[in-house]
Amino acid sequence: MTDRSPAPIVSVKPLVLDAPGRGTDLHVRVSAPVVGDALPILVFSHGFGWSLDGYAPLTDHWAAHGFVVIQPTYLDSRRLAIPADDPRTPTIWRQRVQDVKHAIDQLDRVEAAVPGLQGRLDRSRIVAAGHSFGSQTTAVLLGARVLDADGTPGEDLSDPRVQAGVLLAPAGTGGDDLTPFAAEHFPFMNPSFETLTTRALVVVGDHDDSPLTVRGPDWMTDPYTLSPGADALLTLFDGEHSLGGISGYEVAETTDESPERVAFLRHHVLAYLRSALDPEDASWPDARSALTANPSPLGRIDTQ
């Protein structure tokens, strides 16, 4: 399992973008290969508490293989230390989605901020990915909605500019599937996936036992089983919530550290996104075929 030869990358941080009404500057990190033209754009959403400095095992790899990766720091970041009683706290999940849209709105500034990037973006090819809380952000961009207290789907916050997405260790359905603590403290964890119509890959660990649900690891597969858009599910054998350590190199919160699992994940995500953006690109079917032929695979792929 190998990807094409990686290119050197350049990263710029923090790039400060306009975000009216946010109350705090929107800082993003931009990483891009130093070679190549017509580069697609990937907006990556971190998990709860992280920042633009996280997830280098993924984002550096994807940048080195042809994507311009934009990483916002969201209001829930530990770096910002916004208190729980801040009036913005209940709607941080919505602000996350708006932050992605602000970043896409300002691609001129993104392009100008990175040395050598001018004129090399392909703005017609935009994808999104996210881990944990970031997967909810991505799912909403793809069409998922948060149900109101009466079960009515809330506002459609999707963005048609995002052509495909990847949900890493996403949350499943709410209601009775949540623990009492999650139901009380996270009312936005009540999604409907029926309107998630944009193409998506869902990635889960089969040992990801979340403290937020009364169900087991299958809870994480709900976006795949319940949405019309998610057409592939990648299950990582023995993977827990950190999926082998994707949030950073040697981070303390990783409970299932496995560089091999991380490499396996990022390879298959890259293959999926390449084919999603270009139907003539055989990266995804080739990766699926190679996995089928592997006598000792690190995971499996289901499709629908």
Side-chain angles (χ1 to χ4, degrees):
M1 182 188 70
T2 58
D3 291 314
R4 304 164 194 170
S5 298
I9 68 172
V10 58
S11 292
V12 171
K13 67 162 190 176
L15 172 60
V16 182
L17 299 180
D18 294 332
R22 190 175 190 263
T24 303
D25 289 339
L26 173 59
H27 287 191
V28 305
R29 179 188 188 119
V30 184
S31 302
V34 300
V35 297
D37 294 306
L39 302 173
I41 299 152
L42 189 163
V43 184
F44 187 86
S45 293
H46 63 71
F48 179 81
W50 276 89
S51 70
L52 54 77
D53 286 324
Y55 297 89
L58 300 184
T59 58
D60 285 355
H61 182 83
W62 294 332
H65 289 85
F67 281 84
V68 175
V69 182
I70 302 173
Q71 296 176 256
T73 290
Y74 297 116
L75 292 178
D76 56 274
S77 175
R78 290 185 292 268
R79 182 167 297 177
L80 300 181
I82 292 176
D85 60 356
D86 187 287
R88 295 169 293 177
T89 297
T91 58
I92 279 179
W93 72 270
R94 295 176 63 96
Q95 185 60 55
R96 279 171 152 259
V97 178
Q98 293 302 323
D99 288 347
V100 175
K101 295 181 179 183
H102 288 320
I104 297 173
D105 289 342
Q106 297 172 74
L107 289 177
D108 283 346
R109 296 185 64 181
V110 168
E111 191 176 53
V114 179
L117 188 58
Q118 197 73 42
R120 297 170 56 217
L121 290 183
D122 183 349
R123 303 179 187 213
S124 69
R125 296 192 296 159
I126 301 174
V127 296
H131 175 238
S132 194
F133 195 6
S135 69
Q136 190 215 36
T137 305
T138 303
V140 172
L141 289 163
L142 303 180
R145 299 191 189 185
V146 173
L147 298 175
D148 294 335
D150 61 0
T152 302
E155 182 183 0
D156 178 8
L157 300 175
S158 62
D159 193 320
R161 295 173 295 183
V162 179
Q163 298 173 322
V166 178
L167 312 181
L168 304 172
T173 53
D176 292 340
D177 287 341
L178 298 179
T179 61
F181 175 86
E184 178 182 355
H185 292 88
F186 309 120
F188 57 85
M189 291 185 65
N190 197 19
S192 170
F193 299 113
E194 295 179 358
T195 51
L196 196 164
T197 56
T198 303
R199 183 175 180 179
L201 167 67
V202 178
V203 182
V204 302
D206 66 3
H207 282 52
D208 187 356
D209 286 303
S210 173
L212 301 177
T213 181
V214 297
R215 288 167 54 189
D218 72 296
W219 183 59
M220 306 282 180
T221 68
D222 283 354
Y224 171 71
T225 58
L226 299 178
S227 80
D231 59 358
L233 172 68
L234 175 62
T235 301
L236 305 181
F237 298 153
D238 298 322
E240 300 179 15
H241 199 61
S242 295
L243 302 175
I246 63 173
S247 56
Y249 297 106
E250 301 176 351
V251 297
E253 69 183 42
T254 299
T255 56
D256 63 334
E257 186 172 6
S258 171
E260 296 79 13
R261 186 174 297 124
V262 173
F264 178 84
L265 181 158
R266 67 192 186 190
H267 167 78
H268 285 85
V269 168
L270 182 64
Y272 181 86
L273 291 177
R274 281 174 168 163
S275 294
L277 290 173
D278 180 2
E280 296 184 1
D281 190 308
S283 297
W284 180 239
D286 287 350
R288 291 174 56 195
S289 296
L291 185 58
T292 301
N294 189 334
S296 301
L298 295 177
R300 73 170 185 272
I301 295 172
D302 296 295
T303 59
Q304 59 185 13

